[in-house]
Amino acid sequence: MIIPPSIYNAYHICKREAWLMYHQVCGDQFNDFMMIGKLLSGESFKKDKHEIILADLPAKIDLIKKKNGKIFIAEIKKSSKKIKNAEIQLKYYLYLLYKKGYHFDGMIKIPKERISIDVVLTKIDIEYTNNSLLEIEDLLKSNKPPPPIKLKL
């Protein structure tokens, strides 16, 4: 089973949301936050390649950037509020490329805050991703979504 990055990312935020998305029971995919992200990506990095769809991979990469002669896969975010989730998402892209024989480092760009964070896929990350994918497959094969969990805000 090939797990799309949107499902992989949702799983790390809310397992129920991942199940609902996979089974096509989800909210509006064209919300204001997604539109803001596309605008930030296009306006902030005009010289670079944007929204690259990779053949054979269920991924759309925000940006490919060259820095000091090295190519980076970049994920663009509107704020650093959920930086851990951005790192997990980017490492999944790097993992998908790694499985195809490509070895790139990553970069999280937050234009409004002028932040750029380098991200490297390690052996521990590869093991973590493999384990996560097994857990996600088990979740998605279940007939019912996990029960909702109330989070304290």
Side-chain angles (χ1 to χ4, degrees), residues 1-2 7 12 16 20 24 33 36 40 42 47 54-55 65 67 69 78 96-97 102-103 106 112 120-121 138 140 151:
M1 173 184 292
I2 297 173
I7 304 295
H12 288 90
R16 182 177 174 86
L20 293 170
Q24 299 178 350
F33 292 116
I36 290 168
L40 275 174
K47 295 182 216 168
L54 302 173
K65 184 151 186 71
K67 177 181 166 187
K78 69 180 182 102
L96 291 171
L97 289 164
Y102 300 102
H103 303 277
K112 282 183 136 183
V120 177
L121 183 70
D138 286 344
L140 299 179
L151 300 175

Side-chain angles (χ1 to χ4, degrees), residues 73-86:
I73 303 301
E75 183 66 19
I76 301 168
K77 296 297 178 188
K78 69 180 182 102
S79 81
S80 57
K81 186 176 179 183
K82 295 182 180 178
I83 199 73
K84 186 65 181 160
N85 293 101

Side-chain angles (χ1 to χ4, degrees), residues 8-9 12-13 75 77 79-92 108 110 117 119-120 122 124-125 128:
Y8 185 85
N9 193 35
H12 288 90
I13 297 168
E75 183 66 19
K77 296 297 178 188
S79 81
S80 57
K81 186 176 179 183
K82 295 182 180 178
I83 199 73
K84 186 65 181 160
N85 293 101
E87 184 179 352
I88 288 170
Q89 181 181 2
L90 180 55
K91 284 184 178 185
Y92 186 53
I108 298 171
I110 307 163
I117 303 166
V119 176
V120 177
T122 66
I124 292 169
D125 296 323
Y128 174 81

